[in-house]
Amino acid sequence: MQSAARAGADFSDDTIPTDKKNAEEWYRVDAIIQEVFQNTAQELAFVIEDNGSQFEFS
């Protein structure tokens, strides 16, 4: 979680990268992993679109 935050991942709640114990209790590990993957996909979509291609989530 902290590594993802240092790499620039954007989290909907700052608790996720800053407080591992509460993040795991409040969100569960699977929800945190899902958020990291969703945010990564969104960032990749921005890069793809900035380079003239189109990206669609399905």
Side-chain angles (χ1 to χ4, degrees):
M1 294 178 289
Q2 291 173 341
S3 295
R6 283 192 302 272
D10 187 24
F11 293 95
S12 60
D13 184 337
D14 287 339
T15 300
I16 293 172
T18 59
D19 189 336
K20 182 178 179 178
K21 183 176 182 281
N22 282 335
E24 289 175 350
E25 182 180 326
W26 297 347
Y27 296 102
R28 301 178 331 274
V29 171
D30 58 325
I32 295 168
I33 291 170
Q34 179 181 352
E35 179 153 353
V36 170
F37 278 106
Q38 285 174 326
N39 291 344
T40 301
Q42 184 175 8
E43 290 299 319
L44 288 172
F46 293 149
V47 170
I48 289 168
E49 290 174 354
D50 286 347
N51 287 291
S53 295
Q54 189 174 16
F55 185 90
E56 293 182 26
F57 289 97
S58 55

